[in-house]
PDB file of all heavy atoms in Angstrom:
ATOM      1  N   ILE A 114     -27.830-118.193 -96.282  1.00 98.00           N
ATOM      2  CA  ILE A 114     -27.786-116.971 -95.445  1.00 98.00           C
ATOM      3  C   ILE A 114     -27.834-117.343 -93.971  1.00 98.00           C
ATOM      4  O   ILE A 114     -27.031-116.878 -93.152  1.00 98.00           O
ATOM      5  CB  ILE A 114     -28.963-116.030 -95.818  1.00 98.00           C
ATOM      6  CG1 ILE A 114     -28.682-115.390 -97.188  1.00 98.00           C
ATOM      7  CG2 ILE A 114     -29.208-114.986 -94.758  1.00 98.00           C
ATOM      8  CD1 ILE A 114     -29.858-114.612 -97.761  1.00 98.00           C
ATOM      9  N   ASP A 115     -28.775-118.203 -93.619  1.00 98.00           N
ATOM     10  CA  ASP A 115     -28.952-118.606 -92.199  1.00 98.00           C
ATOM     11  C   ASP A 115     -27.773-119.397 -91.685  1.00 98.00           C
ATOM     12  O   ASP A 115     -27.324-119.237 -90.563  1.00 98.00           O
ATOM     13  CB  ASP A 115     -30.262-119.391 -92.022  1.00 98.00           C
ATOM     14  CG  ASP A 115     -31.520-118.560 -92.274  1.00 98.00           C
ATOM     15  OD1 ASP A 115     -31.407-117.327 -92.259  1.00 98.00           O
ATOM     16  OD2 ASP A 115     -32.571-119.189 -92.489  1.00 98.00           O
ATOM     17  N   TYR A 116     -27.235-120.281 -92.546  1.00 98.00           N
ATOM     18  CA  TYR A 116     -26.120-121.114 -92.156  1.00 98.00           C
ATOM     19  C   TYR A 116     -24.906-120.252 -91.771  1.00 98.00           C
ATOM     20  O   TYR A 116     -24.311-120.444 -90.711  1.00 98.00           O
ATOM     21  CB  TYR A 116     -25.776-122.028 -93.320  1.00 98.00           C
ATOM     22  CG  TYR A 116     -24.655-123.016 -93.091  1.00 98.00           C
ATOM     23  CD1 TYR A 116     -24.853-124.136 -92.298  1.00 98.00           C
ATOM     24  CD2 TYR A 116     -23.384-122.812 -93.638  1.00 98.00           C
ATOM     25  CE1 TYR A 116     -23.828-125.058 -92.080  1.00 98.00           C
ATOM     26  CE2 TYR A 116     -22.380-123.728 -93.445  1.00 98.00           C
ATOM     27  CZ  TYR A 116     -22.596-124.845 -92.640  1.00 98.00           C
ATOM     28  OH  TYR A 116     -21.599-125.754 -92.442  1.00 98.00           O
ATOM     29  N   ILE A 117     -24.600-119.281 -92.613  1.00 98.00           N
ATOM     30  CA  ILE A 117     -23.455-118.404 -92.338  1.00 98.00           C
ATOM     31  C   ILE A 117     -23.710-117.545 -91.100  1.00 98.00           C
ATOM     32  O   ILE A 117     -22.817-117.380 -90.256  1.00 98.00           O
ATOM     33  CB  ILE A 117     -23.126-117.551 -93.606  1.00 98.00           C
ATOM     34  CG1 ILE A 117     -22.540-118.457 -94.664  1.00 98.00           C
ATOM     35  CG2 ILE A 117     -22.189-116.393 -93.258  1.00 98.00           C
ATOM     36  CD1 ILE A 117     -22.327-117.779 -96.005  1.00 98.00           C
ATOM     37  N   SER A 118     -24.922-117.015 -90.982  1.00 98.00           N
ATOM     38  CA  SER A 118     -25.241-116.193 -89.799  1.00 98.00           C
ATOM     39  C   SER A 118     -25.119-117.031 -88.494  1.00 98.00           C
ATOM     40  O   SER A 118     -24.575-116.564 -87.494  1.00 98.00           O
ATOM     41  CB  SER A 118     -26.655-115.618 -89.885  1.00 98.00           C
ATOM     42  OG  SER A 118     -26.654-114.545 -90.808  1.00 98.00           O
ATOM     43  N   ASN A 119     -25.575-118.258 -88.558  1.00 98.00           N
ATOM     44  CA  ASN A 119     -25.529-119.104 -87.358  1.00 98.00           C
ATOM     45  C   ASN A 119     -24.090-119.420 -86.987  1.00 98.00           C
ATOM     46  O   ASN A 119     -23.763-119.474 -85.782  1.00 98.00           O
ATOM     47  CB  ASN A 119     -26.313-120.400 -87.587  1.00 98.00           C
ATOM     48  CG  ASN A 119     -27.820-120.162 -87.570  1.00 98.00           C
ATOM     49  OD1 ASN A 119     -28.272-119.179 -86.949  1.00 98.00           O
ATOM     50  ND2 ASN A 119     -28.584-121.027 -88.210  1.00 98.00           N
ATOM     51  N   ILE A 120     -23.237-119.668 -87.956  1.00 98.00           N
ATOM     52  CA  ILE A 120     -21.836-119.957 -87.635  1.00 98.00           C
ATOM     53  C   ILE A 120     -21.139-118.689 -87.114  1.00 98.00           C
ATOM     54  O   ILE A 120     -20.388-118.725 -86.107  1.00 98.00           O
ATOM     55  CB  ILE A 120     -21.113-120.555 -88.829  1.00 98.00           C
ATOM     56  CG1 ILE A 120     -21.655-121.992 -89.036  1.00 98.00           C
ATOM     57  CG2 ILE A 120     -19.577-120.571 -88.592  1.00 98.00           C
ATOM     58  CD1 ILE A 120     -21.237-122.664 -90.296  1.00 98.00           C
ATOM     59  N   ALA A 121     -21.442-117.541 -87.722  1.00 98.00           N
ATOM     60  CA  ALA A 121     -20.902-116.266 -87.197  1.00 98.00           C
ATOM     61  C   ALA A 121     -21.358-116.073 -85.749  1.00 98.00           C
ATOM     62  O   ALA A 121     -20.533-115.680 -84.888  1.00 98.00           O
ATOM     63  CB  ALA A 121     -21.348-115.100 -88.060  1.00 98.00           C
ATOM     64  N   ARG A 122     -22.605-116.385 -85.480  1.00 98.00           N
ATOM     65  CA  ARG A 122     -23.123-116.257 -84.089  1.00 98.00           C
ATOM     66  C   ARG A 122     -22.417-117.200 -83.160  1.00 98.00           C
ATOM     67  O   ARG A 122     -21.974-116.808 -82.074  1.00 98.00           O
ATOM     68  CB  ARG A 122     -24.620-116.538 -84.072  1.00 98.00           C
ATOM     69  CG  ARG A 122     -25.266-116.375 -82.670  1.00 98.00           C
ATOM     70  CD  ARG A 122     -26.766-116.660 -82.677  1.00 98.00           C
ATOM     71  NE  ARG A 122     -27.499-115.620 -83.364  1.00 98.00           N
ATOM     72  CZ  ARG A 122     -28.107-115.757 -84.530  1.00 98.00           C
ATOM     73  NH1 ARG A 122     -28.043-116.928 -85.192  1.00 98.00           N
ATOM     74  NH2 ARG A 122     -28.749-114.770 -85.115  1.00 98.00           N
ATOM     75  N   SER A 123     -22.218-118.438 -83.595  1.00 98.00           N
ATOM     76  CA  SER A 123     -21.548-119.424 -82.699  1.00 98.00           C
ATOM     77  C   SER A 123     -20.106-119.014 -82.426  1.00 98.00           C
ATOM     78  O   SER A 123     -19.544-119.381 -81.393  1.00 98.00           O
ATOM     79  CB  SER A 123     -21.610-120.826 -83.310  1.00 98.00           C
ATOM     80  OG  SER A 123     -20.734-120.916 -84.415  1.00 98.00           O
ATOM     81  N   ARG A 124     -19.489-118.251 -83.330  1.00 98.00           N
ATOM     82  CA  ARG A 124     -18.095-117.802 -83.152  1.00 98.00           C
ATOM     83  C   ARG A 124     -18.040-116.360 -82.643  1.00 98.00           C
ATOM     84  O   ARG A 124     -16.963-115.809 -82.491  1.00 98.00           O
ATOM     85  CB  ARG A 124     -17.320-117.959 -84.450  1.00 98.00           C
ATOM     86  CG  ARG A 124     -17.313-119.409 -84.893  1.00 98.00           C
ATOM     87  CD  ARG A 124     -16.448-119.684 -86.065  1.00 98.00           C
ATOM     88  NE  ARG A 124     -16.539-121.085 -86.423  1.00 98.00           N
ATOM     89  CZ  ARG A 124     -15.682-121.727 -87.195  1.00 98.00           C
ATOM     90  NH1 ARG A 124     -14.649-121.095 -87.706  1.00 98.00           N
ATOM     91  NH2 ARG A 124     -15.857-122.996 -87.477  1.00 98.00           N
ATOM     92  N   ASN A 125     -19.211-115.765 -82.447  1.00 98.00           N
ATOM     93  CA  ASN A 125     -19.308-114.387 -81.967  1.00 98.00           C
ATOM     94  C   ASN A 125     -18.386-113.451 -82.766  1.00 98.00           C
ATOM     95  O   ASN A 125     -17.677-112.635 -82.205  1.00 98.00           O
ATOM     96  CB  ASN A 125     -18.964-114.321 -80.464  1.00 98.00           C
ATOM     97  CG  ASN A 125     -19.331-112.990 -79.841  1.00 98.00           C
ATOM     98  OD1 ASN A 125     -20.187-112.266 -80.356  1.00 98.00           O
ATOM     99  ND2 ASN A 125     -18.638-112.611 -78.762  1.00 98.00           N
ATOM    100  N   GLY A 126     -18.436-113.581 -84.083  1.00 98.00           N
ATOM    101  CA  GLY A 126     -17.546-112.755 -84.897  1.00 98.00           C
ATOM    102  C   GLY A 126     -18.249-112.079 -86.059  1.00 98.00           C
ATOM    103  O   GLY A 126     -19.318-112.532 -86.521  1.00 98.00           O
ATOM    104  N   THR A 127     -17.654-111.000 -86.553  1.00 98.00           N
ATOM    105  CA  THR A 127     -18.119-110.340 -87.786  1.00 98.00           C
ATOM    106  C   THR A 127     -17.333-110.888 -88.963  1.00 98.00           C
ATOM    107  O   THR A 127     -16.093-110.954 -88.895  1.00 98.00           O
ATOM    108  CB  THR A 127     -17.893-108.811 -87.635  1.00 98.00           C
ATOM    109  OG1 THR A 127     -18.745-108.340 -86.583  1.00 98.00           O
ATOM    110  CG2 THR A 127     -18.248-108.088 -88.959  1.00 98.00           C
ATOM    111  N   PHE A 128     -18.017-111.345 -90.003  1.00 99.00           N
ATOM    112  CA  PHE A 128     -17.381-112.016 -91.140  1.00 99.00           C
ATOM    113  C   PHE A 128     -17.689-111.290 -92.442  1.00 99.00           C
ATOM    114  O   PHE A 128     -18.888-111.056 -92.746  1.00 99.00           O
ATOM    115  CB  PHE A 128     -17.876-113.472 -91.237  1.00 99.00           C
ATOM    116  CG  PHE A 128     -17.298-114.385 -90.178  1.00 99.00           C
ATOM    117  CD1 PHE A 128     -17.890-114.439 -88.926  1.00 99.00           C
ATOM    118  CD2 PHE A 128     -16.208-115.193 -90.429  1.00 99.00           C
ATOM    119  CE1 PHE A 128     -17.368-115.267 -87.932  1.00 99.00           C
ATOM    120  CE2 PHE A 128     -15.669-116.023 -89.463  1.00 99.00           C
ATOM    121  CZ  PHE A 128     -16.246-116.068 -88.219  1.00 99.00           C
ATOM    122  N   TRP A 129     -16.671-110.995 -93.218  1.00 99.00           N
ATOM    123  CA  TRP A 129     -16.880-110.422 -94.545  1.00 99.00           C
ATOM    124  C   TRP A 129     -17.587-111.438 -95.444  1.00 99.00           C
ATOM    125  O   TRP A 129     -17.249-112.611 -95.450  1.00 99.00           O
ATOM    126  CB  TRP A 129     -15.537-110.084 -95.232  1.00 99.00           C
ATOM    127  CG  TRP A 129     -14.809-108.900 -94.707  1.00 99.00           C
ATOM    128  CD1 TRP A 129     -13.489-108.873 -94.304  1.00 99.00           C
ATOM    129  CD2 TRP A 129     -15.273-107.540 -94.631  1.00 99.00           C
ATOM    130  NE1 TRP A 129     -13.143-107.589 -93.924  1.00 99.00           N
ATOM    131  CE2 TRP A 129     -14.230-106.744 -94.114  1.00 99.00           C
ATOM    132  CE3 TRP A 129     -16.479-106.914 -94.902  1.00 99.00           C
ATOM    133  CZ2 TRP A 129     -14.308-105.393 -93.907  1.00 99.00           C
ATOM    134  CZ3 TRP A 129     -16.604-105.541 -94.658  1.00 99.00           C
ATOM    135  CH2 TRP A 129     -15.551-104.795 -94.169  1.00 99.00           C
ATOM    136  N   LEU A 130     -18.504-110.927 -96.265  1.00 99.00           N
ATOM    137  CA  LEU A 130     -19.101-111.670 -97.400  1.00 99.00           C
ATOM    138  C   LEU A 130     -18.561-111.056 -98.686  1.00 99.00           C
ATOM    139  O   LEU A 130     -17.854-110.049 -98.660  1.00 99.00           O
ATOM    140  CB  LEU A 130     -20.615-111.571 -97.360  1.00 99.00           C
ATOM    141  CG  LEU A 130     -21.335-112.102 -96.122  1.00 99.00           C
ATOM    142  CD1 LEU A 130     -22.834-111.843 -96.259  1.00 99.00           C
ATOM    143  CD2 LEU A 130     -21.051-113.582 -95.941  1.00 99.00           C
ATOM    144  N   GLY A 131     -18.940-111.644 -99.814  1.00 98.00           N
ATOM    145  CA  GLY A 131     -18.452-111.156-101.139  1.00 98.00           C
ATOM    146  C   GLY A 131     -19.259-110.023-101.743  1.00 98.00           C
ATOM    147  O   GLY A 131     -19.133-109.764-102.922  1.00 98.00           O
ATOM    148  N   GLY A 132     -20.098-109.372-100.940  1.00 98.00           N
ATOM    149  CA  GLY A 132     -20.928-108.291-101.485  1.00 98.00           C
ATOM    150  C   GLY A 132     -20.288-106.935-101.371  1.00 98.00           C
ATOM    151  O   GLY A 132     -19.568-106.635-100.422  1.00 98.00           O
ATOM    152  N   THR A 133     -20.482-106.082-102.396  1.00 98.00           N
ATOM    153  CA  THR A 133     -19.926-104.752-102.365  1.00 98.00           C
ATOM    154  C   THR A 133     -20.744-103.788-103.235  1.00 98.00           C
ATOM    155  O   THR A 133     -21.375-104.225-104.234  1.00 98.00           O
ATOM    156  CB  THR A 133     -18.465-104.733-102.844  1.00 98.00           C
ATOM    157  OG1 THR A 133     -17.939-103.425-102.789  1.00 98.00           O
ATOM    158  CG2 THR A 133     -18.354-105.274-104.277  1.00 98.00           C
ATOM    159  N   ASP A 134     -20.696-102.484-102.924  1.00 98.00           N
ATOM    160  CA  ASP A 134     -21.247-101.460-103.835  1.00 98.00           C
ATOM    161  C   ASP A 134     -20.153-100.478-104.184  1.00 98.00           C
ATOM    162  O   ASP A 134     -20.442 -99.311-104.521  1.00 98.00           O
ATOM    163  CB  ASP A 134     -22.487-100.773-103.243  1.00 98.00           C
ATOM    164  CG  ASP A 134     -22.166 -99.778-102.121  1.00 98.00           C
ATOM    165  OD1 ASP A 134     -21.095 -99.924-101.460  1.00 98.00           O
ATOM    166  OD2 ASP A 134     -22.992 -98.877-101.892  1.00 98.00           O
ATOM    167  N   LYS A 135     -18.886-100.911-104.156  1.00 98.00           N
ATOM    168  CA  LYS A 135     -17.761 -99.970-104.368  1.00 98.00           C
ATOM    169  C   LYS A 135     -17.745 -99.406-105.796  1.00 98.00           C
ATOM    170  O   LYS A 135     -17.223 -98.312-106.002  1.00 98.00           O
ATOM    171  CB  LYS A 135     -16.416-100.638-104.017  1.00 98.00           C
ATOM    172  CG  LYS A 135     -15.998-101.793-104.908  1.00 98.00           C
ATOM    173  CD  LYS A 135     -14.728-102.436-104.352  1.00 98.00           C
ATOM    174  CE  LYS A 135     -14.396-103.741-104.995  1.00 98.00           C
ATOM    175  NZ  LYS A 135     -14.238-103.736-106.471  1.00 98.00           N
TER     176      LYS A 135
END
Side-chain angles (χ1 to χ4, degrees):
I114 287 171
D115 293 343
Y116 183 75
I117 289 173
S118 285
N119 286 336
I120 289 169
R122 181 179 290 108
S123 73
R124 301 188 181 196
N125 192 24
T127 295
F128 287 83
W129 287 127
L130 300 177
T133 181
D134 74 337
K135 65 186 168 57

